[in-house]
Amino acid sequence: MTRAMVAPVVVSMGDPAGIGPEIVVAAVMERPDWLERLVVAGDAATLERAARVVAAVRDQAAPAIVGVQSPGDVTSPAGLRVWQVCDPQPPVVWGFVQPEAGRMAARCIRAAAAAALSGQVRALVTAPIHKEALSLAGEPWPGHTEMLQALAAGHLGCPVADLPVRMMLSEPHLRTVLVSIHVSLREAIEAVTTDRVLETLLITDRHFLRFGGRRARIAVAGLNPHAGEGGLFGREEADIIAPAVERARAQGLDVQGPFPPDTVFMRARQGAFDVVIAMYHDQGLIAVKLLGLDHGVNTTLGLPFVRTSPDHGTAFDLAGTGRASPASLLAALEAADQASGPVA
């Protein structure tokens, strides 16, 4: 496989004060075959600094940082291709929340998303950002998922509400899709409506049909302990979640539940289901991260392009040390590669 044969995967650099640039460099040092398959939307000076610290820790030659003018540039010399989308400036300080770092991260996301939406790349993989830095930079979104949803809706010329998306977290033995994402627990409970649960089921089913070629075996977690215990611990299961399950089944989906949330993830891990629908963020993420943070992948369902990311944050305590593991980023790259397939 050569650069000329396949459109690249674009990696947004992430927060330059965090480990994102370092894990990008470490990933291609561990897997040099990715040098021909990806391009980084970022800042060359930031990637060069990251390459120096990673190479020193690993006692290994770092890849050359090669600047390119566009994400599809296949004529550059061998090395880690960096599409310069940030204004050149002195590197930010490692390990601290900074508005400028948030601004750089946002520019990388916007450029990478535009490349994905225009078909210049076949998938987008996002390195970690810091949500507080994004906010200090004046960005209105609480995270990648919401920002990419808004950018995609703007590109398609439709309201954001008309492009519903969901977050799927996975590791080798478990997948979970979330009904709500970055909201307070109180707001997450209020978001458990029949229509929203049904929408989550339909988005999940479409994703598996598109990228897996078959219907997923879907389990639905309850909201309350013991899935409400027949109404003793809450009526949400009977009054809200079960009707969504029935409506999905009537449309041909292979879905069961609601099940007690304290056991349904174990059953899925044992092979009874392909994916679990979790009612809120931490209900699903705690299970996945407990099983495999190093190999966790976040996939956004519902976008008009493939987007994955590592299932961890900026790790400011490790930034600048060169010791951060690229395992989750490599898993995200492989997931994006498999979902998007080669594009001539």
Side-chain angles (χ1 to χ4, degrees):
M1 181 181 296
T2 67
R3 292 178 187 169
M5 293 172 59
V6 62
V9 172
V10 64
V11 180
S12 61
M13 179 180 71
D15 190 308
I19 64 170
E22 292 167 62
I23 61 174
V24 171
V25 172
V28 297
M29 289 174 71
E30 288 193 13
R31 289 281 305 276
D33 56 302
W34 268 107
L35 286 169
E36 292 194 345
R37 292 188 283 160
L38 67 77
V39 60
V40 182
D43 173 63
T46 298
L47 270 296
E48 287 169 352
R49 179 175 69 161
R52 288 194 294 271
V53 298
V54 173
V57 167
R58 292 175 174 247
D59 194 21
Q60 180 182 351
I65 305 301
V66 179
V68 296
Q69 299 300 310
S70 70
D73 183 355
V74 297
T75 63
S76 58
L80 178 58
R81 290 176 292 162
V82 179
W83 176 28
Q84 184 73 39
V85 300
C86 301
D87 294 333
Q89 62 178 42
V92 300
V93 179
W94 273 311
F96 292 93
V97 175
Q98 298 153 79
E100 185 54 39
R103 280 189 286 272
M104 292 175 70
R107 286 186 181 181
C108 296
I109 297 166
R110 281 197 177 87
L117 287 163
S118 64
Q120 297 179 77
V121 298
R122 61 193 176 94
L124 165 59
V125 177
T126 56
I129 58 173
H130 198 286
K131 294 175 177 60
E132 185 180 352
L134 202 66
S135 177
L136 289 173
E139 301 293 343
W141 299 285
H144 272 121
T145 303
E146 297 86 351
M147 184 175 183
L148 292 170
Q149 179 189 24
L151 293 172
H155 177 82
L156 296 172
C158 69
V160 172
D162 290 349
L163 187 70
V165 299
R166 293 295 187 273
M167 181 186 290
M168 180 172 75
L169 281 300
S170 58
E171 60 88 47
H173 306 289
L174 179 66
R175 303 182 190 92
T176 183
V177 177
L178 313 180
V179 170
S180 63
I181 307 177
H182 299 122
V183 296
S184 72
L185 183 56
R186 187 179 303 279
E187 291 173 299
I189 293 170
E190 294 171 353
V192 178
T193 65
T194 299
D195 286 347
R196 189 169 179 85
V197 174
L198 176 61
E199 185 176 66
T200 306
L201 289 165
L202 295 173
I203 291 171
T204 303
D205 184 62
R206 285 197 297 268
H207 176 81
F208 277 81
L209 284 172
R210 179 182 177 188
F211 297 116
R214 64 175 178 84
R215 293 219 120 103
R217 298 169 301 153
I218 304 173
V220 178
L223 175 67
N224 298 300
H226 301 187
E229 195 72 70
L232 292 176
F233 306 146
R235 294 287 309 172
E236 286 84 359
E237 284 75 16
D239 296 344
I240 297 173
I241 302 172
V245 171
E246 290 306 312
R247 287 169 60 183
R249 288 172 65 87
Q251 296 187 45
L253 275 69
D254 184 355
V255 53
Q256 299 180 52
F259 295 113
D262 59 350
T263 56
V264 68
F265 296 100
M266 175 189 66
R267 294 177 62 190
R269 183 172 182 260
Q270 292 171 342
F273 308 105
D274 296 312
V275 60
V276 178
I277 305 301
M279 290 299 110
Y280 55 92
H281 184 279
D282 284 8
Q283 185 187 63
L285 266 66
I286 288 172
V288 171
K289 291 189 176 184
L290 179 65
L291 290 174
L293 181 62
D294 283 349
H295 299 282
V297 176
N298 173 11
T299 302
T300 305
L301 313 189
L303 291 172
F305 56 85
V306 174
R307 179 261 171 163
T308 67
S309 76
D311 186 21
H312 60 70
T314 51
F316 279 169
D317 58 322
L318 285 176
T321 68
R323 299 198 312 268
S325 169
S328 187
L329 177 62
L330 283 168
L333 286 166
E334 292 299 326
D337 196 43
Q338 292 171 16
S340 60
V343 177

